[in-house]
Amino acid sequence: MELALQRRRLGLACLAVACLACGGAVPPTNYYVLDLPAAAPAPAPLEHTAILMPVRVGGVIRQGRIVYRESPVEVGYYEYHRWGEDPQESISRALREQVLALGTFARLDRFDGRTAADYVLRGELLRLEEVDHGGGVRAAVEISLELVESATARVVWVGTVEKSEQVSASEVRSVVAGLSAAAEQAIRQLSGELDRHLRPPG
């Protein structure tokens, strides 16, 4: 599988060079978005309020191109396969919807520099990539989340979840579908752990 992917990438690179050398057209750029379904609302939210800070992302993800790794220390980018919506925005929106759906907070506002709340919720998208080493092809996502008490600036809860999905077809659209499924699982697990931390037992 890895050898096939390497040959495919080499073939695409050679094709692009040949097209440019012959004055041919540059291959079209394909754009993708994460497919993260909206969550159903919960009936009775808790009384806490919170501010959701913009989800942070690493420099590898900020490039706008879909990332693949052929080894743990090697980072590659698909030149003609890019994100149509910033994953930072996709993850932020899905995270906010899921937390509100669980009823963890009575209000969860996006950060605007003015609104006050009981807590500040800070997230980071650590991984969002195709993994081509270690057997087969996987779509890997890692997200961390921390809850800060506004009155004391103390971190009162931290959670990190890493999920991956096997990709059956060696196509970028299949990788994006796997990334969407893994991201949804990670967001649901993190939101559930956060809710259990704040919800009174019983």
Side-chain angles (χ1 to χ4, degrees):
M1 178 68 78
E2 292 183 24
L3 182 59
L5 283 169
Q6 291 172 5
R7 287 174 177 167
R8 173 167 56 88
R9 290 183 183 126
L10 180 60
L12 287 173
C14 291
L15 178 62
V17 171
C19 287
L20 290 173
C22 298
V26 175
T29 300
N30 300 290
Y31 293 93
Y32 305 84
V33 295
L34 290 170
D35 180 18
L36 301 172
L46 300 174
E47 296 181 357
H48 310 296
T49 60
I51 301 295
L52 177 63
M53 301 297 292
V55 171
R56 301 185 303 275
V57 295
V60 171
I61 302 171
R62 277 202 301 268
Q63 299 295 323
R65 294 174 288 177
I66 293 176
V67 180
Y68 63 87
R69 289 183 186 263
E70 294 183 339
S71 77
V73 297
E74 192 175 2
V75 178
Y77 299 95
Y78 283 108
E79 185 61 40
Y80 301 109
H81 299 278
R82 299 171 179 253
W83 292 112
E85 179 182 49
D86 190 337
Q88 177 185 36
E89 177 59 30
S90 304
I91 296 295
S92 291
R93 183 174 59 249
L95 180 61
R96 181 173 182 271
E97 289 175 354
Q98 181 63 32
V99 171
L100 285 173
L102 290 175
T104 308
F105 300 108
R107 193 184 79 238
L108 179 57
D109 297 310
R110 290 178 178 267
F111 175 75
D112 61 8
R114 301 184 303 274
T115 305
D118 301 322
Y119 295 99
V120 173
L121 196 57
R122 299 191 298 219
E124 184 172 6
L125 180 58
L126 301 167
R127 295 183 72 194
L128 184 74
E129 60 198 29
E130 172 189 322
V131 178
D132 297 338
H133 60 86
V137 180
R138 293 179 293 116
V141 174
E142 185 177 2
I143 304 173
S144 71
L145 195 61
E146 64 180 19
L147 186 68
V148 180
E149 191 176 53
S150 297
T152 63
R154 184 170 59 95
V155 176
V156 295
W157 175 84
V158 177
T160 301
V161 172
E162 183 175 1
K163 296 289 184 181
S164 66
E165 287 281 317
Q166 288 294 133
V167 177
S168 57
S170 57
E171 299 176 331
V172 176
R173 69 181 63 184
S174 298
V175 172
V176 173
L179 290 171
S180 298
E184 182 183 1
Q185 293 171 36
I187 289 169
R188 286 184 183 277
Q189 182 174 329
L190 276 174
S191 302
E193 292 175 1
L194 172 64
D195 186 77
R196 287 189 292 275
H197 174 78
L198 288 173
R199 193 171 294 278

